[in-house]
Amino acid sequence: MKRTTGQDRSITRNWRPATQAVRAGTWRSEMGETSEAIFATSGYTYEDAATPAARFAGEQDGMTYSRLQNPTVQMLEERIAILEGAEACRTQASGMAAMTAALLCQLSAGDHIVAARAAFGSCRWLVDSLLPRFGVEGTVIDATDNAAWEAAIRPNTKVFFFETPANPTLDIVDLEYVCGLAKAHGITTVVDNAFCTPIMQRPMDFGADVVAYSATKLMDGQGRVLAGAVCGSEEFIQDKLLPFQRNTGPNLSPFNAWVVLKGLETLHLRARQQCDNALKLGRFLEDRVPTILHPGLERHPRHALAMKQMTMPGCIFSIVLDGGREQAHAFLDALELIDLSNNIGDARSLMCHPASTTHHSVGPEARAEMGVSEGMLRLNVGLEDADDLIEDLARGLAAAGL
């Protein structure tokens, strides 16, 4: 591959996803390094005074300050954009920085947002607590009810915001319907795709306008760094997101960008194996627990829709025990292999009790509305041998009296 091949969209757009995940976005310096270089610099120098003047005026391409551009970060942004099928991407310091930026960059006082009730706890906090402080009203709906989306639209509705599959209830939203409805009303759709990454699901293929990520999750996939990303049209990224990011500064560090670049190289392999493991674990648990929420299992109420939208069934699912928090904690305390952790997308299997961790901050009433019960446990399935994981889950079942 030549030095600039990875930056040439006329070439990289024709590569298949596995190749894009390894090579898209790569730019090599005059040293000819094989692995992407880490440009650990805050600023840049110029040969003459006219050069920075032209760059700041937008008349010349080039680096000015690492809050705006960094070669390592730009390589990651190009790689994610190509994988997503997006015109452009800007990375952020974390997944929640990405969600916050994707909303605040386009909403103003007097606007209205319609959001899915089932969401990561901090995403619900944005809609329920932060946006109203700035005069943005929100309506929270059951996102699986197509009619509820249309019923919630107001003349000042600017954004639809949802995640599919949802965290931790695994609700599946009809991407094609909701995105089509939004376009018909001039509403921007913002989809949190962290559970899938573009390897498993590309919301833009179904009409989504903006796709936001916690790249901390499967993109890194090994629990090493925080990172986020927002993908969209060139117009959205340049005219709405970039001014917000330039002046508020939720930027990703070059080192973290490099780590995620390395993670993307193995994303296809990791995701496929983790999904296979998750389906095997789901089939082991489905007749042993009162409720299992796994879109890859035929008993999921929207299994067919999930498999239409997703290329793999996902590596994260939840179970619900009838005995509430006491029984759920007994299950967790008996585990010997699976880590108790509130992260997801890791190569290690992780399990948590959402009501007391990831969704604690939203309060009991909101949790009940979302379907996050005291007996719910969320499982991120990793790369360990599935039979070892099954043996560990059996220990949890026994301790929980199941």
Side-chain angles (χ1 to χ4, degrees):
M1 191 174 84
K2 306 300 183 184
R3 281 183 57 198
T4 60
T5 300
Q7 297 275 326
D8 188 341
R9 290 256 182 133
S10 69
I11 297 173
T12 61
R13 72 164 62 98
N14 297 317
W15 290 343
R16 291 163 182 81
T19 303
Q20 291 173 340
V22 175
R23 291 187 176 270
T26 297
W27 171 87
R28 289 178 175 145
S29 75
E30 65 277 8
M31 299 300 169
E33 63 278 352
T34 52
S35 180
E36 296 83 1
I38 302 175
F39 286 83
T41 183
S42 58
Y44 306 89
T45 62
Y46 318 95
E47 292 297 308
D48 54 64
T51 297
R55 291 183 185 179
F56 275 87
E59 299 166 354
Q60 181 185 108
D61 290 336
M63 304 290 159
T64 58
Y65 192 63
S66 277
R67 183 158 44 85
L68 304 176
Q69 314 100 350
N70 178 278
T72 311
V73 174
Q74 283 192 345
M75 284 189 268
L76 175 62
E77 290 170 343
E78 178 65 10
R79 186 169 297 179
I80 293 174
I82 283 290
L83 284 167
E84 192 65 47
E87 291 181 358
C89 170
R90 291 289 296 197
T91 53
Q92 316 292 322
S94 68
M96 281 315 303
M99 303 304 157
T100 304
L103 297 179
L104 287 183
C105 78
Q106 60 178 314
L107 290 169
S108 301
D111 289 343
H112 174 246
I113 180 174
V114 181
R117 70 185 184 190
F120 178 54
S122 294
C123 290
R124 273 297 299 264
W125 182 86
L126 290 178
V127 175
D128 295 343
S129 300
L130 181 66
L131 292 178
R133 288 167 51 189
F134 296 94
V136 178
E137 296 181 293
T139 299
V140 177
I141 63 165
D142 176 0
T144 66
D145 181 357
N146 287 353
W149 287 100
E150 187 163 15
I153 295 174
R154 301 178 188 174
N156 60 336
T157 302
K158 295 296 193 297
V159 171
F160 282 175
F161 179 43
F162 61 93
E163 178 183 22
T164 182
N167 182 4
T169 59
L170 283 298
D171 287 2
I172 302 296
V173 180
D174 188 335
L175 280 165
E176 189 171 17
Y177 174 84
V178 175
C179 294
L181 177 67
K183 286 190 186 302
H185 290 269
I187 297 167
T188 300
T189 48
V190 177
V191 181
D192 176 355
N193 199 38
F195 262 39
C196 289
T197 79
I199 297 301
M200 299 185 205
Q201 177 175 266
R202 300 209 315 178
M204 288 185 177
D205 289 349
F206 298 90
D209 298 302
V210 179
V211 181
Y213 284 104
S214 171
T216 307
K217 308 304 187 290
L218 282 160
M219 288 188 183
D220 169 29
Q222 289 150 88
R224 300 171 294 192
V225 296
L226 298 179
V230 179
C231 300
S233 67
E234 190 73 32
E235 180 182 11
F236 176 85
I237 297 297
Q238 294 299 322
D239 296 347
K240 294 185 178 180
L241 182 64
L242 183 55
F244 177 88
Q245 188 167 0
R246 174 188 294 120
N247 294 294
T248 58
N251 296 78
L252 183 64
S253 76
F255 176 76
N256 285 16
W258 182 83
V259 171
V260 179
L261 279 166
K262 297 299 100 182
L264 286 173
E265 292 178 3
T266 60
L267 176 57
H268 263 81
L269 300 174
R270 289 185 286 105
R272 188 177 298 112
Q273 186 59 55
Q274 287 179 248
C275 288
D276 287 348
N277 282 353
L279 196 56
K280 188 171 182 178
L281 268 59
R283 297 204 185 284
F284 166 75
L285 288 169
E286 64 180 335
D287 293 324
R288 293 174 170 84
V289 296
T291 304
I292 185 166
L293 306 168
H294 188 328
L297 297 176
E298 290 77 5
R299 66 174 59 189
H300 190 284
R302 285 200 150 186
H303 167 73
L305 177 61
M307 295 302 96
K308 173 188 173 185
Q309 297 178 171
M310 300 166 63
T311 60
M312 303 180 206
C315 60
I316 303 156
F317 64 89
S318 295
I319 61 174
V320 183
L321 309 183
D322 292 338
R325 181 177 296 204
E326 183 178 357
Q327 189 180 31
H329 279 196
F331 188 111
L332 291 176
D333 289 344
L335 298 176
E336 296 178 3
L337 175 61
I338 299 170
D339 287 314
L340 275 59
S341 175
N342 47 279
N343 196 19
I344 57 171
D346 200 295
R348 303 162 189 81
S349 292
L350 314 172
M351 203 165 193
C352 78
H353 180 248
S356 58
T357 57
T358 59
H359 289 67
H360 171 74
S361 63
V362 301
E365 290 185 8
R367 288 198 298 272
E369 174 195 48
M370 297 164 73
V372 181
S373 70
E374 289 291 326
M376 177 176 281
L377 293 169
R378 188 191 67 196
L379 175 59
N380 168 88
V381 182
L383 291 172
E384 304 93 343
D385 189 291
D387 289 333
D388 287 330
L389 295 172
I390 285 172
E391 290 175 4
D392 205 35
L393 290 174
R395 281 186 279 270
L397 291 170
L402 296 169

